[in-house]
Amino acid sequence: MAKRLRALPVSIRHAARAAAYIREYLFPANCPICGGELLDAGEAWYGLCRPCSDALVISDEGRCVSCGRPLISEQGRCLQCRGGDGHIFDGAYSIFPYTGKYRKLLRAYKFGKTLSLGNFLAERILDALEKLPIAASEGALVPVPPRPGKIRKAGWDQVACLGARLEKMGQPVYPCLKRLPSKSQKELDKADRKTNLMGKILCAKPAPKTVILFDDVITTGATLDACAAALKGAGAERVFGVCLFYD
Ligand SMILES: [Zn+2]
Ligand SMILES: [Zn+2]
């Protein structure tokens, strides 16, 4: 929690929190998990009440060596990461399950547009960088680009918004990927997801040597693979990923 707004001087940090509180007072969004009021500037800043945010605890024990989601009865790799040729990305960490209270969190951010939750989620991305096998300073943070039609429908790019918050927190972001129109991955099975995006994600600038992709949800890892293929085709040597939720 202490990392938020670390890059800003103290007086600006206080002003930003106070502004979040005034906004919450005038246009209450309430806590998306319990529905309770947000009672102070800290809660308003995160868009979550303190008891709910404190209860969003995850364990690092027994994670898939490829995508970083928790293993259930498997050893080493999770079921999503088994079979085929493995992943093109070199490793990832996935934070919250996309179920229950965690699902409420993403839905409130993504569909309810509770923007203050971006402060909470961006901090979780910073925490997750420490779980990767490389130092965060070694890699360039690259947002996974959304499907063009998806932005039109939803009206905003929530991953790019997280990127803007990460930058404010002092973590540079390098948006170098572009996505061409394609079918939504959600409509496809595992095999089709793997081929649907290949060649549909392009690296529009020279790729950094080491990249850390970030995205909201990982399912089969096909989107991270398509991004990693584009980046490696443009010169990247290693590509890691951080995903807020795993489905
Ligand atoms: Zn709550
Ligand atoms: Zn996995």
Side-chain angles (χ1 to χ4, degrees):
M1 297 280 169
K3 278 180 185 158
R4 69 181 168 203
L5 290 181
R6 198 167 49 185
L8 296 175
V10 172
S11 56
I12 298 177
R13 266 182 256 169
H14 287 159
R17 280 166 166 238
Y21 190 43
I22 292 165
R23 203 164 45 241
E24 178 63 27
Y25 181 77
L26 294 173
F27 310 104
N30 291 5
C31 171
I33 295 177
C34 70
E37 274 180 57
L38 303 180
L39 298 174
D40 59 37
E43 292 189 348
W45 174 252
Y46 284 122
L48 271 173
C49 78
R50 204 159 282 109
C52 285
S53 76
D54 288 349
L56 294 170
V57 181
I58 50 152
S59 161
D60 288 336
E61 298 297 309
R63 296 263 172 168
C64 170
V65 295
S66 267
C67 72
R69 79 175 76 211
L71 298 169
I72 302 165
S73 55
E74 314 97 318
Q75 296 283 324
R77 285 190 165 71
C78 73
L79 284 178
Q80 291 286 11
C81 292
R82 287 189 187 186
D85 306 324
H87 288 301
I88 299 168
F89 61 86
D90 297 281
Y93 190 83
S94 307
I95 308 170
F96 299 122
Y98 191 48
T99 54
K101 60 187 175 184
Y102 303 101
R103 189 183 169 97
K104 279 188 188 173
L105 190 64
L106 183 61
R107 291 187 70 83
Y109 177 61
K110 209 165 161 175
F111 305 116
K113 231 180 156 182
T114 307
L115 295 180
S116 45
L117 288 171
N119 293 324
F120 177 82
L121 296 172
E123 268 191 24
R124 302 290 74 75
I125 291 176
L126 288 183
D127 292 345
L129 295 179
E130 291 167 21
K131 318 280 183 194
L132 294 175
I134 54 156
S137 56
E138 282 181 64
L141 264 186
V142 173
V144 168
R147 223 162 32 93
K150 200 173 158 192
I151 295 189
R152 277 198 296 275
K153 204 170 148 198
W156 70 306
D157 178 354
Q158 66 275 358
V159 176
C161 257
L162 287 172
R165 283 174 199 256
L166 288 165
E167 292 235 300
K168 279 189 187 162
M169 292 171 179
Q171 184 73 47
V173 171
Y174 185 75
C176 60
L177 295 175
K178 298 262 174 287
R179 188 150 162 179
L180 302 175
S182 61
K183 279 189 188 166
S184 164
Q185 291 288 86
K186 278 187 203 150
E187 298 160 15
L188 305 171
D189 63 19
K190 190 175 172 181
D192 287 341
R193 279 172 182 245
K194 227 176 163 72
T195 52
N196 180 45
L197 280 178
M198 283 302 166
K200 298 281 171 59
I201 293 182
L202 310 172
C203 188
K205 300 177 194 172
K209 233 171 158 183
T210 304
V211 171
I212 304 170
L213 291 160
F214 63 96
D215 201 2
D216 52 359
V217 183
I218 183 169
T219 306
T220 62
T223 305
L224 285 192
D225 275 334
C227 291
L231 288 159
K232 289 188 175 182
E237 288 171 8
R238 293 187 303 168
V239 179
F240 298 91
V242 164
C243 297
L244 283 167
F245 300 86
Y246 52 86
D247 195 11

